[in-house]
Amino acid sequence: MENNPGTGTEKDLRKLKREKLAKLIAMGVEPYKYRFSVTCSIGEVKKRYADVTHEKTKEKVTVAGRIMGIRIHGKAGFADVLGQDDKIQAYFRMNDLGEQKFEIFKMLEVGDIIGLTGPVFRTKMGEVTIWVEEFDLLTKCLLPFPEKYHGLQNLELRYRQRYLDLIVNPEVRKTFIMRSRIISYIRSWLDKRGYIEVETPILQPIYGGALARPFKTHHNYLDMDLYLRIAPELYLKRISVGGLEKIYEIGKNFRNEDIDAQHNPEYTSLELYESYSDYYGMMNLTENLVCDLIKELIGDYRLPYGDKMLDFTPPWRRITMADAIAEYGKVEVRRKTKEEIYDIAVSLGVPDVTSEMSKGELIGEIFDFVAQKHLINPTFILNHPADISPLARRLKEDPDFSERFELFINGWEIANAFTELTDPDQQLQNFNCQAEMRARGNEEAHPIDMDFITALECGLPPTGGLGIGIDRLVMVLTNSPSIKDVIFFPQMRQTQQVMPGECKKEER
């Protein structure tokens, strides 16, 4: 007998669960306990007793978890109990529990959370199992669960009700545990190398540090508009001016832009700055950090992603943006006028380019169109156009380009880094050029921040800066097809409340 009704409407099933709740309360069962003390996790039980025999152990364990399956056979029954790190079978007998307690067991359902105590043994089928001598209902579940053989497959419902997704899809749980381990490893790696973790404002009077559209809000008490930060860069560099030489921040950024498989309006980044370094130092740091992370957490530099095999074996390829355009687009963009580059873009069929764009904007669009999709294995693209890199130092040998790189993996930008611009006069000039772009209709152009100019006048040492998109890095390392798969609660179009098992078909 499987104690998990698979028929009936959502409303009917919820009504049945409510009726069972009322019966349990009438029997004196408290359906929502305050606490329960466990001796170990379910995963620890499976590891500790991996070699257990058919004989019950002398020692007992106390664990807790959610029932994922229940099978009753007369005066005995089994339940599959899921914890954070594993699932274990539990064996219940009327002879051990007593008639009243066994009746309570028979009323349990898939989704209920229980605590149980007993010795461990191996069944005739070879499964490590807890022989239950005591148990308690800790939390009664009132929502019907998805049918066990198919799990929760509807993407819309999975993203909106991540709690169900985590319960019924083990791979989803593994992905988010890996995300946590990746972030923890990055912190530890940087801490061991003398970096200091800092925090900068999320609400900012002037947004900056990237080319993006912000979210705007209003502070009532101060009666002033504020923006959710699009990047922490300008505040972190103010800290560098103050004398902290190796700093980093892992936190949220917000960009009021399109949503797709690689973009979520709220995302997590690592941003760091090291005084007396440059973009080559940041390149070496990025490669060493990611390779060490993969070696520690995964153990193999070759990782599958979709139908591709990514190879992270160092050293990674390094190529300038102009050379990448020449290699993949068969055209040369160096030492060309803006008009010549515009003609090249049109001849290549680059979409959405206009004659109003700057020379650097056109080169960037050409690169995105002809080269980016080919950068599958980790590749550093160096020396971006200076006019689309307003916070980076210009190349000495060619001031049309900057000391900047982006790291691409699977055709996606994963990291962005500069030799930071430390000249306040040049920085103000760059801001003014961005203002001209904004006047031409570029909503993502960088605003002028005069307080940041003042900070640079105080003196920013030669500095290398780096930003890494944590979400995309996690996507690559966990073989996840969408950024929504690595963010617990991705932004979705607002809709009416959706009941488990029911989902409106609408645009995501």
Side-chain angles (χ1 to χ4, degrees), residues 323-340:
D323 286 339
I325 290 172
E327 178 176 336
Y328 296 109
K330 310 303 180 185
V331 293
E332 179 58 61
V333 295
R334 282 169 290 212
R335 292 173 291 279
K336 301 281 187 182
T337 66
K338 189 186 93 163
E339 290 72 23
E340 289 173 324

Side-chain angles (χ1 to χ4, degrees), residues 90-196:
Y91 176 56
F92 299 76
R93 282 200 325 166
M94 183 187 294
N95 288 351
D96 301 309
L97 299 170
E99 186 173 342
Q100 183 178 5
K101 195 75 171 182
F102 192 75
E103 283 301 312
I104 295 172
F105 163 69
K106 289 166 63 177
M107 296 183 68
L108 298 181
E109 299 175 285
V110 169
D112 293 345
I113 299 173
I114 63 171
L116 48 91
T117 298
V120 182
F121 75 108
R122 188 178 299 277
T123 65
K124 292 180 180 179
M125 300 298 292
E127 188 164 355
V128 176
T129 304
I130 297 175
W131 190 301
V132 180
E133 294 182 350
E134 301 176 42
F135 80 90
D136 281 302
L137 172 63
L138 305 181
T139 301
K140 177 63 182 169
C141 174
L142 298 177
L143 296 182
F145 269 35
E147 200 274 325
K148 74 172 185 176
Y149 293 108
H150 299 98
L152 187 64
Q153 300 297 327
N154 186 300
L155 280 176
E156 178 85 9
L157 189 59
R158 284 182 51 205
Y159 297 146
R160 291 190 184 279
Q161 298 182 326
R162 184 68 83 183
Y163 43 90
L164 278 180
D165 193 24
L166 289 165
I167 292 168
V168 304
N169 290 323
E171 291 305 314
V172 172
R173 186 181 298 225
K174 290 179 182 178
T175 293
F176 283 104
I177 291 173
M178 176 59 80
R179 178 190 173 102
S180 177
R181 293 179 65 199
I182 288 169
I183 294 174
S184 294
Y185 183 87
I186 290 171
R187 277 200 169 94
S188 175
W189 194 94
L190 292 170
D191 291 344
K192 289 176 182 176
R193 286 157 179 79
Y195 283 83
I196 299 169

Side-chain angles (χ1 to χ4, degrees), residues 68-82:
M68 298 304 293
I70 251 191
R71 302 168 298 282
I72 299 172
H73 308 283
K75 297 182 179 181
F78 292 90
D80 300 318
V81 182
L82 176 68

Side-chain angles (χ1 to χ4, degrees), residues 218-403:
H218 186 82
H219 194 289
N220 292 331
Y221 181 79
L222 296 176
D223 191 23
M224 63 183 291
D225 290 336
L226 293 169
Y227 301 90
L228 295 181
R229 73 180 182 197
I230 59 173
E233 176 168 344
L234 301 191
Y235 283 93
L236 288 169
K237 286 198 275 196
R238 287 173 170 95
I239 295 173
S240 295
V241 169
L244 297 186
E245 297 176 356
K246 299 172 76 174
I247 59 174
Y248 75 94
E249 181 172 12
I250 297 175
K252 295 286 189 182
N253 299 318
F254 307 85
R255 299 186 180 180
N256 197 351
E257 298 173 347
D258 295 344
I259 298 176
D260 58 30
Q262 298 173 45
H263 297 88
N264 191 66
E266 176 182 348
Y267 71 97
T268 302
S269 74
L270 160 70
E271 197 149 321
L272 66 86
Y273 292 85
E274 181 175 343
S275 298
Y276 315 112
S277 186
D278 63 4
Y279 77 143
Y280 285 108
M282 294 296 100
M283 242 180 288
N284 295 334
L285 182 149
T286 303
E287 185 171 319
N288 291 336
L289 168 60
V290 176
C291 285
D292 287 353
L293 187 157
I294 291 172
K295 186 176 181 181
E296 175 68 22
L297 299 185
I298 300 174
D300 191 341
Y301 286 138
R302 288 175 56 80
L303 304 178
Y305 188 86
D307 59 358
K308 299 183 286 287
M309 184 62 69
L310 307 180
D311 190 349
F312 287 82
T313 305
W316 296 348
R317 189 186 187 201
R318 302 181 180 191
I319 181 173
T320 68
M321 179 174 283
D323 286 339
I325 290 172
E327 178 176 336
Y328 296 109
K330 310 303 180 185
V331 293
E332 179 58 61
V333 295
R334 282 169 290 212
R335 292 173 291 279
K336 301 281 187 182
T337 66
K338 189 186 93 163
E339 290 72 23
E340 289 173 324
I341 293 174
Y342 174 71
D343 290 340
I344 290 171
V346 172
S347 68
L348 290 170
V350 180
D352 302 325
V353 294
T354 71
S355 59
E356 295 297 314
M357 288 181 169
S358 71
K359 182 177 177 180
E361 288 176 307
L362 291 168
I363 292 173
E365 293 293 330
I366 293 171
F367 168 80
D368 291 347
F369 184 69
V370 304
Q372 184 171 336
K373 61 188 175 185
H374 299 288
L375 307 177
I376 304 305
N377 290 327
T379 304
F380 290 112
I381 297 296
L382 287 64
N383 304 350
H384 294 51
D387 61 1
I388 60 170
S389 309
L391 299 167
R393 190 165 215 135
R394 293 173 184 258
L395 284 172
K396 291 179 182 178
E397 61 273 23
D398 189 348
D400 282 345
F401 294 88
S402 62
E403 291 198 358

